[in-house]
């Protein structure tokens, strides 16, 4: 990634900008390449736009870069009309000569669709979300009709297609910038020196220190209320809260659950919350013995006292999960018997599987704070104690965030405490990205569990637009998960942000990453 001197040496930048204390470094500046919430928070809605958005207020998909769209009768052709006059960022490394056109959409999609595309192979991570949900196999071609009209042709109907276009991953890049980088023989800059149409444009990044953006004056929705956004990289949640209290941070995401009540009681801090469809879970690497044995997985699950986790890690600010699908979803199916705390049954299952004296294993603990898991280390320690009671000895493992994600994608783990926050309200968002066979290959299936029957059920669900039919398929899929337990859902939690009292325009969206278009400093 691009590095330059820290913006924290510029007093004007600090006085005019928002100081946002982030929990980790971005892995990339292109959301197409990641599934990390940390990276999405710092890039997706600040640097880029999508064709469409999901409006939680209206409970429907609404125009963004595409001002309208039509779907043919059999659901295999989606024709879009682009908004006119949308400007790309002008930066020190790129000056656009034209506004957004359908060619940019084609470039952005074919970058991850087409293995012969000049930018396809520069990604060292692949395109995990698109591969996991099968968009790279679903889309047949992108037909550009003129500057503002294009059609996406699908091989077959997919009721989740519009929802996937509204995710943080489906960003639109500049084809003209791509042409410049090819001419300069510097294609890797597409993901390290970003150009988008979003409300902010890239300025500086210094790993482990700070990241700064500046307002995009020509933004099609109107210029952002803040001149700059400066992300301070502070992995310690304790230090982030101290910096909030000393006014060295204006905004702190994911405040520790232990501090929520105290923060809420303070007059000099504003605490915002929203229902955030998410699930924290414990995934087993089912490609490694003994986790390839369903009896072992069931035993481990029955050994865990999840109610103690809710109290000790979330301080009551979470709901016990009975499915990988959040309890806010219309397709949620609850099976209260699937994940019960029953150490006696756990020991019996271990003995039946050939481990009467237990075994040793690793639990990888998420090294950053997320809405779904504010303290994975503490959670792992509680689970370590529970598992010792059935003879299973646990070693807790963690790494720096980028190393953690890379080794996790490589399948080096025995098990991992991680989670998922919904990008849109479609149930498919919690199934294919996390548990499909394709997601094993893309690296986002942390259980590395490939079950053809599960894939058939979720594929059947997306091939119909009838909600009752989809509900039946999703219920059967959840029953299969409850029986095979490639992972254990732990909790669904609220999403919080803490800010200085003079921060105005803060709004927490239930889906997707951070949005700061209308957020700014008012009168202290």
């Amino acid at each position: 990634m691009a590095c330059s001197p820290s913006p924290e040496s510029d007093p004007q930048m600090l006085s005019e900008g928002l100081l946002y204390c982030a929990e980790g470094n971005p892995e990339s500046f292109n959301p197409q390449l990641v599934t990390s919430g940390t990276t999405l928070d710092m890039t997706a809605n600040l640097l880029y736009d999508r064709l469409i958005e999901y409006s939680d207020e209206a409970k429907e998909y609404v125009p963004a870069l595409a001002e309208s769209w039509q779907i043919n009768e059999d659901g295999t052709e989606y024709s879009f009309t682009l908004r006119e006059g949308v400007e790309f960022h002008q930066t020190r490394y790129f000056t656009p000569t034209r506004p957004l056109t359908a060619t940019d959409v084609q470039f952005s999609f074919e970058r991850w669709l087409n293995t012969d595309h000049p930018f396809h192979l520069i990604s060292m991570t692949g395109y995990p979300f698109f591969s996991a949900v099968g968009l790279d196999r679903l889309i047949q071609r992108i037909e550009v009709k003129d500057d503002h009209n294009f059609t996406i042709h699908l091989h077959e109907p997919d009721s989740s297609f519009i929802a996937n276009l509204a995710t943080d991953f489906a960003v639109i890049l500049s084809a003209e910038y791509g042409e410049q980088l090819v001419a300069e023989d510097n294609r890797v800059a597409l993901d390290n020196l970003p150009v988008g149409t979003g409300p902010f444009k890239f300025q500086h990044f210094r790993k482990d220190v700070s990241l700064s953006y500046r307002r995009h004056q020509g933004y099609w929705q109107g210029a952002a209320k803040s001149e700059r956004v400066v992300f301070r990289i502070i992995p310690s949640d304790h230090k982030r809260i101290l910096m909030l209290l000393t006014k060295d941070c204006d905004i702190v995401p994911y405040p520790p659950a232990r501090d929520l009540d105290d923060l809420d009681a303070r007059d000099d801090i504003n605490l915002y919350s929203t229902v955030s469809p998410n699930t924290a879970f414990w995934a087993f690497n089912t490609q490694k013995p003994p986790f390839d044995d369903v009896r072992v997985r069931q035993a481990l699950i029955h050994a865990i006292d999840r109610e103690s986790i809710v109290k000790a890690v979330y301080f009551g600010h979470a709901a016990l999960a009975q499915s990988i699908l959040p309890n806010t979803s219309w397709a949620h199916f609850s099976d209260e018997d699937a994940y019960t705390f029953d150490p006696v049954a756990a020991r019996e299952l271990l003995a039946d599987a050939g481990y009467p004296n237990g075994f040793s294993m690793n639990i990888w603990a998420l090294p950053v704070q997320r809405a779904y898991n504010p303290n994975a280390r503490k959670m792992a320690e509680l689970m370590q104690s529970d598992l010792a009671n059935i003879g299973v000895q646990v070693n807790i493992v963690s790494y720096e965030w980028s190393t953690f994600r890379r080794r996790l994608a490589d399948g080096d783990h025995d098990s991992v405490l991680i989670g998922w926050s919904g990008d849109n309200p479609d149930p498919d968002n919690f199934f294919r990205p996390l548990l499909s066979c394709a997601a094993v290959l893309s690296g986002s299936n942390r259980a590395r569990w490939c079950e053809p029957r599960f894939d058939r059920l979720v594929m059947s669900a997306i091939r119909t637009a009838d909600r009752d039919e989809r509900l039946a398929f999703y219920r059967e899929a959840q029953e299969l998960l409850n029986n095979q337990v490639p992972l254990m859902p732990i909790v669904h939690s609220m999403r919080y942000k803490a800010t200085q009292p003079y921060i105005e325009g803060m709004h927490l969206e239930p889906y997707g990453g951070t949005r700061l278009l209308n957020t700014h400093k008012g009168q202290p």
Side-chain angles (χ1 to χ4, degrees):
M1 291 189 186
C3 296
S4 53
S6 169
E8 295 187 25
S9 60
D10 183 346
Q12 183 183 19
M13 180 173 290
L14 298 183
S15 64
E16 293 180 358
L18 293 171
L19 301 180
Y20 186 111
C21 281
E23 71 278 12
N25 293 292
E27 298 169 76
S28 168
F29 289 101
N30 185 348
Q32 295 177 328
L33 279 56
V34 302
T35 56
S36 158
T38 297
T39 301
L40 295 174
D41 276 349
M42 299 169 77
T43 61
N45 296 299
L46 304 179
L47 296 172
Y48 301 99
D49 290 301
R50 285 142 298 284
L51 294 174
I52 59 177
E53 300 278 3
Y54 178 75
S55 168
D56 187 59
E57 183 177 333
K59 305 298 181 187
E60 64 182 7
Y61 297 97
V62 298
L65 294 181
E67 61 182 13
S68 65
W69 62 91
Q70 294 182 329
I71 309 171
N72 72 341
E73 190 171 330
D74 68 0
T76 59
E77 294 181 7
Y78 288 71
S79 296
F80 295 85
T81 298
L82 285 178
R83 194 177 300 276
E84 296 188 21
V86 174
E87 297 181 12
F88 281 101
H89 300 156
Q90 179 173 336
T91 69
R92 67 181 185 276
Y93 47 84
F94 175 66
T95 299
T97 64
R98 60 166 179 79
L100 172 78
T101 71
T103 301
D104 299 303
V105 178
Q106 185 180 46
F107 171 83
S108 303
F109 278 62
E110 289 193 346
R111 187 268 170 96
W112 50 265
L113 275 171
N114 183 0
T115 56
D116 294 327
H117 191 277
F119 287 88
H120 184 85
L121 295 178
I122 66 168
S123 167
M124 301 304 293
T125 60
Y127 306 92
F129 179 80
F130 302 117
S131 298
V133 301
L135 280 183
D136 53 352
R137 299 177 300 281
L138 175 69
I139 296 175
Q140 183 184 80
R141 62 191 174 96
I142 314 289
E143 179 189 1
V144 173
K145 297 183 175 180
D146 57 41
D147 279 355
H148 296 97
N149 293 278
F150 65 96
T151 298
I152 301 178
H153 297 265
L154 308 184
H155 287 290
E156 58 190 8
D158 184 329
S159 58
S160 68
F161 181 64
I162 285 292
N164 286 328
L165 293 188
T167 64
D168 285 347
F169 311 99
V171 297
I172 303 303
L173 312 174
S174 166
E176 185 181 18
Y177 181 44
E179 292 168 1
Q180 173 184 308
L181 295 178
V182 169
E184 295 172 351
D185 193 23
N186 187 27
R187 288 176 293 170
V188 294
L190 186 74
D191 305 321
N192 298 335
L193 293 170
V195 170
T197 61
F200 295 94
K201 57 186 179 181
F202 178 86
Q203 273 199 297
H204 304 281
F205 175 53
R206 185 177 176 189
K207 187 178 180 182
D208 298 327
V209 179
S210 63
L211 162 66
S212 65
Y213 296 151
R214 186 160 189 164
R215 180 164 57 200
H216 173 33
Q217 292 287 1
Y219 187 52
W220 61 274
Q221 292 192 68
K225 295 291 181 66
S226 292
E227 171 65 23
R228 294 180 175 88
V229 177
V230 177
F231 291 91
R232 287 175 158 168
I233 314 299
I234 313 293
S236 165
D237 60 358
H238 178 67
K239 186 175 180 181
R240 290 199 303 274
I241 293 301
L242 287 178
M243 292 178 71
L244 180 72
L245 298 178
T246 57
K247 294 184 168 49
D248 291 308
C249 291
D250 295 323
I251 302 170
V252 171
Y254 318 116
R258 65 178 180 270
D259 295 334
L260 291 174
D261 290 340
D262 289 341
L263 290 172
D264 196 33
R266 296 182 67 109
D267 293 332
D268 59 342
I269 298 293
N270 287 342
L271 184 66
Y272 296 86
S273 66
T274 185
V275 174
S276 177
N278 63 52
T279 306
F281 58 83
W282 182 29
F284 308 106
N285 187 340
T286 61
Q287 294 184 356
K288 280 187 175 183
F291 313 105
D292 56 345
D293 189 327
V294 67
R295 295 168 297 180
V296 171
R297 300 196 299 267
Q298 290 171 340
L300 296 176
I301 280 171
H302 287 307
I304 303 302
D305 183 356
R306 296 183 302 150
E307 290 187 357
S308 292
I309 290 174
V310 171
K311 294 175 184 176
V313 176
Y314 297 86
F315 293 82
H317 297 283
L320 210 60
Q322 304 298 347
S323 169
I324 188 64
L325 195 62
N327 51 11
T328 55
S329 172
W330 57 264
H332 175 82
F333 169 68
S334 178
D335 182 352
E336 296 182 0
D337 296 327
Y339 306 101
T340 54
F341 176 48
D342 189 343
V344 173
R347 284 189 287 270
E348 291 174 352
L349 283 161
L350 274 187
D352 187 50
Y355 299 95
N357 300 315
F359 56 87
S360 297
M361 66 176 291
N362 294 330
I363 295 179
W364 287 28
L366 182 75
V368 297
Q369 295 77 41
R370 303 301 301 159
Y372 53 73
N373 195 331
N375 192 336
R377 179 80 191 192
K378 184 173 184 178
M379 184 182 292
E381 291 169 353
L382 294 170
M383 294 168 64
Q384 183 182 49
S385 177
D386 286 343
L387 291 165
N389 292 332
I390 65 166
V392 174
Q393 304 306 309
V394 168
N395 178 45
I396 300 172
V397 175
S398 195
Y399 299 96
E400 181 272 330
W401 182 219
S402 59
T403 303
F404 183 89
R405 289 187 58 82
R406 186 184 70 253
R407 297 196 62 176
L408 191 60
D410 289 341
D412 294 342
H413 59 295
D414 288 345
S415 70
V416 61
L417 289 172
I418 199 162
W420 185 260
S421 294
D423 304 293
N424 60 64
D426 195 287
D428 183 68
N429 191 247
F430 276 81
F431 291 124
R432 284 193 293 169
L434 298 179
L435 288 157
S436 67
C437 292
V440 176
L441 298 175
S442 72
S444 62
N445 183 335
R446 308 308 186 187
R448 304 183 72 81
W449 179 72
C450 177
E451 172 52 63
R453 182 183 163 201
F454 178 83
D455 273 20
R456 286 194 296 270
L457 289 168
V458 296
M459 290 303 295
S460 296
I462 63 170
R463 285 173 181 153
T464 176
D466 184 282
R467 178 170 286 200
D468 289 339
E469 290 182 16
R470 295 189 77 193
L471 185 62
F473 288 123
Y474 286 138
R475 174 166 180 158
E476 191 173 347
Q478 287 169 90
E479 289 174 340
L480 179 60
L481 290 174
N482 292 342
N483 178 260
Q484 292 295 308
V485 291
L487 53 76
M488 179 182 74
I490 301 172
V491 301
H492 311 300
S493 65
M494 298 284 286
R495 184 178 187 178
Y496 294 91
K497 268 192 174 70
T499 77
Q500 300 295 345
Y502 50 77
I503 295 298
E504 299 178 358
M506 173 59 66
H507 178 66
L508 290 186
E509 299 285 346
Y511 300 99
T514 297
R515 295 173 185 266
L516 297 174
L517 173 63
N518 295 314
T519 306
H520 63 103
K521 292 181 179 179
Q523 293 298 319

